[in-house]
Amino acid sequence: MAIRMTKPWVSLTAENVKALPGQLGVFQLANAAGEVVFIGFGGGRALFGIRSELDKAVADPPAGATQFRVEINQQYTTRYQELLMLHVHDHGAVPAGNLGKPLPTLGRLSPL
Amino acid sequence: MNLEPTEEQKAIIAQVRRFVREEIVPLEDKLDPDASELPPEDRERLVAKVKAMGLYGLDIPAEFGGPGIDMSTRVLLAIEMGQHRAGLYVPCYGVFGAAGLAQLYEATPEQKEKYLFPMLRGEKKAFFGLTEPSGGSDPARAIKTRATKTNEGWVINGSKVYISGADKADFGLVFARTDPERGRGGVTCFIVETSWPGFHVRRVIHTLRSSHYATELQFDELKVPDTAILGELNKGFAIANERLSRQRIPYAAQCLAPAFKAHEMAIDYAKQRETFGAKLASRQAIQWMLVDNEIDLRQSTLMCLAAAAKCDAGEPFRMEAGLAKLVASEAAGRVVDRSMQIFGGAGMTKDFPFERWYRELRIRRVGEGPNEVQRHVVARDLLGDSLR
Ligand SMILES: Cc1cc2nc3c(=O)[nH]c(=O)nc-3n(C[C@H](O)[C@H](O)[C@H](O)COP(=O)(O)OP(=O)(O)OC[C@H]3O[C@@H](n4cnc5c(N)ncnc54)[C@H](O)[C@@H]3O)c2cc1C
């Protein structure tokens, strides 16, 4: 499995989100320039998994998000942490939209 | 031989049971089903409660400031503390404190000051780095990571896999080959700080335990001083053997915690759920599953207590600890599996904790010495030299 998400971005609209399966997984949100501004997950408490979480993002997009991509993943909690750690490795901090929100304790990764 | 808990044990068990049911389970209802951490404010509040109960640092030996709980009581507490969703790997989300790495209790006074005491105070975190891509069951032969002597100390090159918590640790124990000509007698244990140049956490390894991952490490010209050797040169496997066997007993008992809870839930459910016009509890097929659960739980508890009794009496207990680990880890998996079956579809969902216990219990048959290796060690004890 590639450690970074590489799927193409999809426009963050109610219609596109409605087409998603109600699965567990992780997602990234990006601004118009394709910069990741939020990393999140749709977990076991979300009514329709990633779809429910992205519905919230459509209603109130964090940090100017206009696009999204998802990865269906049962290991969403550890994958979520991995994506946050990779972002910190690549950019020195968590995405703007994650700042000020509860975060898990993050470790340090130095991928090759 | 008396298997009845003492009055004091009964009081501690009741106190911890209440703590789990009143403090932990209600919080868990709001957390993600795979959560392994509490929000900081809840954690601080509960740590303070545990300290007030006099049970903080449960596994820290009394000579290092722990509460000095005997092993039999520790077994009974392990069974109580893990009776919640996250209870197998993070009983009570760690608010009872951690004892850290047993090997460090054998460290030099300077190493204890630098690593052990901050770890016991919760200020520093550590990892245990033994397993390599070439194998974990027989590390004495499999270890390829090399430490080479230099004028200033040692240089380590190599890699480790499936290492828990290394990315969040301040330091860890790294087993490396210091004498390539010798097998078991050519491996040394080093204390390595994760901030030292050449230490890399290359990737997250996702496992069935989706609450916390393992990691893959790489050591690239990692320079360590002579003072980083823990114990003696070429005697990495001789450190803290008895303490490591001790650890295996609560590890075994911990497997039983979710199994006891699953069994209790299955009994309640069987009494309520009706199919074909009668309660599940009235069906012999279901009754037998519950009886088999009861047998698994009682047998395993007795094996854990037998190991604990020997340990408390100061008698050799390595074989008993290994047997308890393998019997309890296998039995607990069966109990959770049967309980899920009784719950039917609901048992498979994230609405209930079974699926997390089921996944995580599977790892217990490989972790802390795989069960085949435990059997191998017991066979060696039974057959002695004739095995060779
Ligand atoms: C979630 C997780 C966390 C872990 N955390 C750590 C950690 O923090 N630190 C660390 O050092 N390691 C850790 N490990 C590694 C673990 O200790 C090893 O996976 C384990 O020791 C087995 O090693 P292996 O995977 O290389 O299997 P192998 O040694 O390749 O063995 C493969 C299989 O063969 C069996 N086997 C081996 N020898 C025999 C034999 N003689 N007869 C019959 N069967 C045999 C084994 O039991 C096993 O089932 C972790 C593993 C997991 C899954």
Side-chain angles (χ1 to χ4, degrees), chain B residues 54-372:
Chain B
L55 291 175
Y56 190 75
L58 210 54
D59 292 314
I60 300 174
E63 68 264 34
F64 291 98
I69 280 172
D70 61 64
M71 189 55 83
S72 305
T73 310
R74 182 67 186 87
V75 161
L76 299 170
L77 285 181
I79 291 174
E80 291 303 327
M81 284 166 60
Q83 292 202 26
H84 59 98
R85 192 188 290 263
L88 183 64
Y89 275 99
V90 263
C92 296
Y93 293 88
V95 297
F96 280 76
L101 299 169
Q103 290 87 346
L104 284 176
Y105 293 106
E106 322 275 322
T108 63
E110 294 75 32
Q111 289 170 335
K112 280 184 185 148
E113 255 338 293
K114 203 165 173 195
Y115 303 109
L116 175 67
F117 300 137
M119 186 178 71
L120 296 183
R121 290 193 297 267
E123 295 159 8
K124 283 190 177 172
K125 288 187 185 153
F127 71 87
F128 179 76
L130 180 68
T131 307
E132 298 199 1
S134 48
S137 300
D138 179 20
R141 255 173 274 247
I143 286 180
K144 290 196 164 58
T145 292
R146 277 296 311 272
T148 313
K149 188 77 187 94
T150 63
N151 288 338
E152 294 81 41
W154 297 83
V155 176
I156 303 180
N157 282 290
S159 60
K160 300 278 172 188
V161 279
Y162 312 135
I163 308 304
S164 305
D167 60 318
K168 293 174 187 159
D170 300 283
F171 70 93
L173 303 187
V174 171
F175 291 77
R177 194 161 294 286
T178 34
D179 185 342
E181 305 303 318
R182 296 154 76 191
R184 204 177 167 76
V187 173
T188 301
C189 177
F190 292 88
I191 305 176
V192 167
E193 296 190 19
T194 55
S195 59
W196 288 347
F199 178 91
H200 304 284
V201 181
R202 287 298 185 207
R203 88 183 163 105
V204 160
I205 303 177
H206 301 277
T207 69
L208 289 173
R209 187 178 69 185
S210 49
S211 55
H212 38 296
Y213 46 78
T215 61
E216 181 171 329
L217 309 183
Q218 192 193 350
F219 316 119
D220 186 11
E221 296 292 310
L222 171 65
K223 293 188 181 67
V224 302
D226 285 313
T227 51
I229 292 180
L230 182 61
E232 290 178 50
L233 181 66
N234 291 327
K235 290 193 180 160
F237 291 114
I239 314 163
N241 268 334
E242 201 205 90
R243 287 191 202 274
L244 292 172
S245 294
R246 275 180 80 92
Q247 237 168 242
R248 202 155 285 144
I249 305 173
Y251 184 93
Q254 199 72 51
C255 296
L256 299 176
F260 267 101
K261 190 70 195 168
H263 182 45
E264 180 191 305
M265 290 167 71
I267 291 173
D268 282 349
Y269 193 72
K271 287 194 216 163
Q272 291 164 25
R273 183 76 167 177
E274 282 191 20
T275 64
F276 300 97
K279 304 276 190 225
L280 282 181
S282 69
R283 312 290 183 189
Q284 197 175 48
I286 301 293
Q287 291 164 6
W288 285 25
M289 283 197 229
L290 293 172
V291 173
D292 287 342
N293 277 358
E294 190 71 27
I295 294 169
D296 272 334
L297 288 169
R298 283 180 188 240
Q299 280 176 341
S300 313
T301 306
L302 289 173
M303 305 261 318
C304 291
L305 287 172
K310 282 214 155 188
C311 172
D312 286 336
E315 293 172 25
F317 60 92
R318 188 181 70 165
M319 188 203 279
E320 284 75 9
L323 285 171
K325 187 268 170 178
L326 81 87
V327 168
S329 59
E330 291 174 8
R334 290 193 296 268
V335 171
V336 168
D337 182 71
R338 289 189 204 103
S339 305
M340 287 172 95
Q341 190 69 15
I342 292 171
F343 264 73
M348 312 299 132
T349 66
K350 283 197 183 288
D351 295 347
F352 291 95
F354 301 106
E355 60 84 33
R356 178 165 176 179
W357 295 335
Y358 182 79
R359 281 184 283 120
E360 294 188 339
L361 270 169
R362 185 62 188 83
I363 299 173
R364 301 296 263 214
R365 284 160 52 196
V366 169
E368 191 68 28
N371 287 6
E372 291 74 19

Side-chain angles (χ1 to χ4, degrees), chain A residues 17-24 48-52 70 72:
Chain A
V17 169
K18 206 171 156 203
L20 288 172
Q23 303 267 43
L24 307 177
F48 292 102
I50 35 181
R51 183 162 18 126
S52 298
V70 302
I72 292 164

Side-chain angles (χ1 to χ4, degrees), chain A residues 45 77-78 82 105 108 110, chain B residues 31 37 167 201-202 206 210:
Chain A
R45 296 259 181 255
T77 43
T78 51
E82 181 183 32
T105 311
R108 287 177 306 269
S110 42
Chain B
L31 295 175
E37 286 181 15
D167 60 318
V201 181
R202 287 298 185 207
H206 301 277
S210 49

